[in-house]
Amino acid sequence: MITIEKLTAFGADVEEGMARCYGNEALYLKLVNMICDESNFEKLKSSLDAGDLDAAFEAAHALKGVLGNLSLTPMYQKSEEITELLRNRTEMDYTPLITELLTMKAELEALCQ
């Protein structure tokens, strides 16, 4: 089960995230748990695999917003990096960046168990 302590160890700015939830810890933890089912991770990966930078940008930008609002700092920073590269339509191998982001997602999922 996810806890504030686990999220802090993960690198989340829980104080900031909780503030966005008006100090409601249960709501904050519920929203963090919802990240595990966020479809934009798969959309980002599949769009990049297909070479569709526009769709990949949309997915990355959406993830950046959600992760930023929940103050999941390590994931937010990686999604921001990917978003800015896609905003500039940088053609490159995104595999290492996506792998890193998905690894962090898996770590978060493990915390939610």
Side-chain angles (χ1 to χ4, degrees), residues 52-102:
D52 186 345
L53 297 183
D54 292 330
F57 171 76
E58 288 178 22
H61 192 262
L63 284 172
K64 178 183 148 194
V66 170
L67 298 169
N69 282 328
L70 293 174
S71 300
L72 297 174
T73 309
M75 295 176 79
Y76 168 77
Q77 290 170 337
K78 188 55 57 183
S79 66
E80 180 180 42
E81 180 182 355
I82 295 167
T83 298
E84 293 312 309
L85 287 166
L86 289 167
R87 183 186 312 277
N88 294 319
R89 302 199 47 78
T90 304
E91 295 205 24
M92 59 177 273
D93 181 7
Y94 285 87
T95 304
L97 296 172
I98 296 303
T99 299
E100 190 174 345
L101 182 61
L102 293 177

